[in-house]
Amino acid sequence: MNNRVRNVGIMAHIDAGKTTATERILFYTGVNNRIGEVDDGAATMDWMEEEKERGITITAAATTCFWRDHRVNIIDTPGHIDFTIEVGRSLRVLDGAVALFSGVEGVEPQSETVWRQADRYGVPRIGFINKMDRPGADFDKCTAMMRDILRANPLALQIPLKNGDEFIGVIDIIEEKMMRYDKDRLGLDCADEEVPAEYRDRVHYMREAMLESLAEIDDHIMTRYLEGGDIGTDAIRGAIRKGTLEGRILPVLCGSAFKNKGIQPLLDAIVDYLPSPDDVSPYQCWTSDGEELSLRGTSEEPMSALVFKIMTDPFVGHLSYIRVYSGEIKAGDTIINTSRDRSERVGRILRLHANKREEVKKVSAGDICAIVGLKNAVTGDTLASTGHDVVFETIEIPSPVLSCAIAPKKKDDLKKMWLVFNKYTVEDPSLTVRLDGETGEVILSGMGELHLEIIMDRAKREHNLEMLTSPPQVAYRETITKPASAVGKYIKQSGGRGQYGHVVINIAPHDGTDFIFENKIIGGAIPREFIGSVETGIREALEKGVYLGYPVINVKVELTDGSFHDVDSSELAFKLAGSIAVKDAVSKANPVILEPIMKVDIHCPPESMGAVIGDATSRRGRVLEVDERNGFKHVLAHIPLDEMFGYTTQLRSLTQGRGYSSMEFFHYHPVPSNILQNLKRKDKFATEVLYG
């Protein structure tokens, strides 16, 4: 039954305790008979060798467990910004999420990033403040940060209970009872006791505040509250569920996953407050012609599903992770990839538990599983039963911001290198690999230094492929600053049939989109069959770059006029004419070079703040904000990516190892004149080396 299914993700900043909390969930639900620790490299959900060695989550891992007769499908997501695509594509197919925060640090930079991703997909959330056993953990300060930074409406359901500095349990505000954990029983025994006298006034005050908040959401609660009548716990939980599903409140619990405290109430909250597949239907989708549809998400409807992840398993082969939105899929079925109009045959169907799988014969609406045997599916594709014309919104892929040139140590491994890295780009669309047609280098691009480093580690470990790399190169872009017009002619006579293509174009700056092409031809000056070739020629020229060889973005091109020859005109001639025209137009439109600017969140001790700000300024950074969080200074700055290489090491040196930072792409901005001259010198040097 769909109302007894919960598809949830655990999302947070790096090192907030996501994987540790998931390990406790698996233990208390009976999936594991022991607790795996991240620091020991024994966590079930961190199954990759790179994850075990580094103690971080790199790839989103899925698992299934049962609690109170409900199936809970959980995806443990990474916290590092370099692997943000894993969070985004997981949230795309999940119905709810647990936003986990460190009780000491509160809302951290990546917490805010994943929160915005959840906002984009409209995912209902509950909050869990972890690490309440740590010195400096502050429940009230964390909820205030949720309100101030995330613009959320936190509703505390618990109060942390301390005996001196020791965190011993929680007080349930709804039930008005204390849950004390036995530290010698791995959190298995939780004794319900009366609220201590010193906490009673606070519990009463917070319960009244809770009822006031719920009265704004639920009419029944409002009536009973105004009349002064007793409000039952079931009615309170029902109102909390309603407010959570509508996104009007964020229920907040607390605990210490590492000390095995507070996990069972978190599981109860997942079941009580987060949505089932029935709660989030109908699902919005479209036909291949763009007509809007909606699906109720029942097993009786035709099958539809979304591929949200691809993995290659050395034992199983090509795995397509899918979320089933309607109907059923059985092993052996023939289905349609509607995104690519390709027929596919379903091989084996596997339920997931990290890197372990359980084979099943069928799955139905609301399930998350993996399918073996889909040859053409990639991340974001829609699958449907034969004759069912449906396409879901695809998954947003972030653009790479860091590149390096790669080459195998052994020349004989060149073909192997392409096979391996092409496989990785299918698994991770935020990673790209391409051949630079001008320099002949193979360029690997990703989301950061750690991202590229781990890909290199995987190539060596999984395929015995040792690579040589150049220092990372910034992904510069070109754009134009004013409109221009140009004519492109390609005329060739060689005795027989010639080539003739003639186009006239206008080009103009256009914010927000890499490239827009509009056909303004009137009266058949260029036959319709050649228009696509003109666009292809323009697009390829822009991708290769015009000014210094970087891709051109944020431009709009209009095809306004041209001419053709009845015999000599061809698709190739018009493609080349389009390329010639756009190169001329860009050169006239005052082209500029853009560099990626990063939003950098820096946390440092107060005594190091001056040195940290000075270093950020020396990197051409612009400091936007300085405030204090939990005794640390928080500095928000915009710094060019070109200046950020090696920053982590420098920050540790400036702060005696206590500082930390995270960064994410903010926008592109024109480079200063001195940087432009350096780029021109590099371009001239490369040309001299290549051509003499």
Side-chain angles (χ1 to χ4, degrees):
M1 294 172 62
N2 271 357
N3 62 358
R4 290 192 173 273
V5 174
R6 300 290 184 271
N7 294 314
V8 300
I10 312 290
M11 63 182 201
H13 188 88
I14 189 170
D15 200 34
K18 299 177 300 299
T19 302
T20 301
T22 308
E23 291 298 317
R24 270 52 179 183
I25 288 173
L26 296 179
F27 177 70
Y28 296 129
T29 56
V31 174
N32 290 348
N33 56 13
R34 65 177 183 84
I35 295 175
E37 298 293 0
V38 174
D39 292 342
D40 299 335
T44 303
M45 305 302 282
D46 284 351
W47 56 271
M48 293 175 65
E49 290 300 322
E50 289 79 10
E51 292 177 317
K52 293 177 181 179
E53 289 178 359
R54 298 168 187 266
I56 62 171
T57 301
I58 294 169
T59 182
T63 189
T64 299
C65 59
F66 291 87
W67 186 255
R68 286 172 37 192
D69 295 327
H70 286 69
R71 175 190 292 277
V72 182
N73 298 317
I74 299 174
I75 295 183
D76 174 28
T77 64
H80 198 286
I81 187 65
D82 283 18
F83 311 107
T84 188
I85 186 176
E86 294 286 342
V87 184
R89 61 184 174 185
S90 298
L91 289 172
R92 171 65 182 84
V93 298
L94 292 171
D95 301 324
V98 177
L100 194 142
F101 305 92
S102 166
V104 179
E105 287 81 14
V107 177
E108 298 174 271
Q110 185 64 1
S111 309
E112 188 175 357
T113 300
V114 297
W115 187 270
R116 304 304 173 209
Q117 287 176 301
D119 280 343
R120 182 184 184 280
Y121 294 116
V123 179
R125 281 143 277 179
I126 59 176
F128 183 75
I129 300 177
N130 192 28
K131 300 188 178 182
M132 290 306 301
D133 59 304
R134 296 280 186 91
D138 190 328
F139 182 84
D140 293 334
K141 189 169 185 177
C142 287
T143 55
M145 291 175 74
M146 293 176 202
R147 187 175 293 107
D148 296 339
I149 298 174
L150 304 179
R151 299 294 185 264
N153 182 20
L155 183 69
L157 306 187
Q158 295 176 339
I159 300 172
L161 184 66
K162 293 199 172 187
N163 181 14
D165 291 333
E166 184 185 3
F167 175 64
I168 59 175
V170 296
I171 298 174
D172 185 323
I173 297 174
I174 299 174
E175 298 275 359
E176 293 185 282
K177 67 180 182 182
M178 180 178 74
M179 292 178 279
R180 184 191 297 271
Y181 289 91
D182 185 342
K183 63 182 178 181
D184 298 324
R185 287 280 295 149
L186 296 177
L188 292 170
D189 291 338
C190 177
D192 290 345
E193 302 176 7
E194 286 190 9
V195 176
E198 64 269 24
Y199 282 92
R200 286 175 190 165
D201 288 344
R202 186 182 177 194
V203 170
H204 178 74
Y205 171 78
M206 293 186 70
R207 198 172 195 275
E208 287 296 306
M210 172 195 291
L211 293 176
E212 287 181 12
S213 297
L214 296 178
E216 299 175 6
I217 296 169
D218 188 279
D219 291 340
H220 172 71
I221 298 283
M222 177 177 285
T223 303
R224 298 293 294 170
Y225 183 74
L226 293 176
E227 293 175 350
D230 183 52
I231 302 174
T233 56
D234 289 343
I236 293 174
R237 290 195 174 93
I240 294 172
R241 180 178 180 82
K242 179 182 178 183
T244 304
L245 300 190
E246 293 174 354
R248 298 171 66 181
I249 59 171
L250 175 71
V252 180
L253 302 93
C254 63
S256 169
F258 185 66
K259 294 294 180 67
N260 313 307
K261 295 171 183 175
I263 301 300
Q264 295 95 328
L266 175 61
L267 279 163
D268 287 334
I270 289 172
V271 169
D272 289 337
Y273 308 131
L274 288 182
S276 70
D278 288 345
D279 293 317
V280 294
S281 65
Y283 304 107
Q284 187 181 40
C285 51
W286 293 265
T287 67
S288 55
D289 295 329
E291 181 183 345
E292 190 169 343
L293 299 173
S294 63
L295 294 171
R296 290 180 293 116
T298 65
S299 299
E300 291 73 31
E301 290 176 295
M303 189 282 293
S304 63
L306 183 72
V307 179
F308 69 93
K309 184 173 179 175
I310 300 294
M311 279 194 66
T312 303
D313 187 281
F315 304 105
V316 179
H318 198 70
L319 282 175
S320 302
Y321 286 55
I322 68 167
R323 161 69 190 268
V324 185
Y325 283 100
S326 65
E328 295 181 339
I329 304 179
K330 298 177 183 177
D333 282 355
T334 298
I335 59 177
I336 303 296
N337 183 333
T338 57
S339 301
R340 304 184 181 278
D341 196 22
R342 295 282 188 91
S343 178
E344 299 266 22
R345 186 179 180 278
V346 177
R348 297 158 60 196
I349 302 175
L350 307 174
R351 289 206 187 276
L352 309 165
H353 182 51
N355 65 331
K356 299 176 183 176
R357 287 106 187 180
E358 169 197 354
E359 188 168 351
V360 295
K361 296 299 181 184
K362 72 172 184 178
V363 287
S364 57
D367 282 334
I368 292 176
C369 66
I371 292 180
V372 181
L374 302 186
K375 297 179 181 178
N376 302 301
V378 299
T379 299
D381 281 358
T382 299
L383 307 177
S385 54
T386 305
H388 185 36
D389 184 15
V390 58
V391 179
F392 289 107
E393 178 189 4
T394 190
I395 293 171
E396 183 178 344
I397 307 298
S399 299
V401 296
L402 195 67
S403 300
C404 65
I406 60 172
K409 278 189 176 181
K410 302 175 184 175
K411 288 187 177 180
D412 293 343
D413 284 341
L414 185 61
K415 183 177 180 181
K416 180 180 179 181
M417 178 194 76
W418 278 106
L419 291 172
V420 168
F421 281 90
N422 282 333
K423 183 191 79 170
Y424 289 152
T425 59
V426 171
E427 293 181 5
D428 182 356
S430 67
L431 185 77
T432 64
V433 60
R434 63 179 175 85
L435 178 66
D436 189 308
E438 295 187 5
T439 66
E441 292 180 317
V442 179
I443 306 298
L444 181 70
S445 304
M447 300 304 297
E449 290 177 273
L450 180 62
H451 191 196
L452 299 183
E453 181 185 332
I454 284 174
I455 290 297
M456 296 299 175
D457 285 351
R458 288 186 61 190
K460 183 177 180 180
R461 190 187 304 271
E462 297 171 5
H463 301 280
N464 194 28
L465 182 63
E466 294 197 55
M467 303 297 300
L468 297 170
T469 64
S470 69
Q473 300 298 308
V474 173
Y476 291 101
R477 295 289 185 266
E478 300 178 8
T479 193
I480 59 175
T481 56
K482 68 178 184 179
S485 300
V487 177
K489 278 188 177 182
Y490 182 76
I491 303 173
K492 185 177 180 182
Q493 295 294 336
S494 56
R497 179 179 174 179
Q499 296 283 353
Y500 182 89
H502 169 220
V503 301
V504 180
I505 66 168
N506 294 332
I507 192 169
H510 185 83
D511 289 337
T513 307
D514 286 353
F515 168 58
I516 290 180
F517 175 81
E518 288 189 4
N519 175 23
K520 294 292 185 72
I521 294 291
I522 299 174
I526 299 176
R528 184 175 296 275
E529 60 265 27
F530 296 137
I531 301 298
S533 300
V534 176
E535 180 180 357
T536 300
I538 292 172
R539 186 181 297 276
E540 290 182 358
L542 293 178
E543 287 175 354
K544 291 179 181 178
V546 176
Y547 186 22
L548 291 182
Y550 302 111
V552 182
I553 63 170
N554 298 346
V555 296
K556 178 181 179 181
V557 178
E558 295 178 344
L559 177 61
T560 59
D561 201 359
S563 62
F564 70 100
H565 190 280
D566 290 335
V567 176
D568 292 347
S569 286
S570 66
E571 291 184 356
L572 175 61
F574 274 99
K575 176 181 173 182
L576 292 171
S579 176
I580 293 167
V582 79
K583 288 179 181 179
D584 187 28
V586 169
S587 64
K588 295 176 180 177
N590 194 20
V592 295
I593 301 297
L594 304 175
E595 63 178 343
I597 305 297
M598 310 304 288
K599 174 182 155 187
V600 186
D601 280 279
I602 310 164
H603 294 255
C604 64
E607 61 270 20
S608 306
M609 187 182 71
V612 168
I613 290 178
D615 181 67
T617 304
S618 72
R619 296 172 183 267
R620 297 193 285 124
R622 186 162 65 95
V623 176
L624 304 175
E625 176 183 313
V626 178
D627 60 16
E628 186 166 328
R629 296 183 183 178
N630 302 305
F632 261 44
K633 291 294 184 180
H634 167 243
V635 179
L636 176 64
H638 288 167
I639 306 176
L641 178 62
D642 186 41
E643 305 286 348
M644 288 301 294
F645 300 127
Y647 181 69
T648 300
T649 303
Q650 176 68 4
L651 180 62
R652 287 172 182 164
S653 174
L654 293 172
T655 62
Q656 291 77 48
R658 298 172 63 198
Y660 60 96
S661 69
S662 67
M663 69 175 182
E664 61 180 301
F665 174 73
F666 179 59
H667 69 170
Y668 278 101
H669 190 269
V671 300
S673 58
N674 62 318
I675 304 298
L676 178 60
Q677 294 306 316
N678 289 338
L679 293 175
K680 285 182 176 179
R681 281 195 291 270
K682 288 180 183 177
D683 182 64
K684 181 180 178 182
F685 175 76
T687 302
E688 290 173 349
V689 170
L690 284 170
Y691 305 111

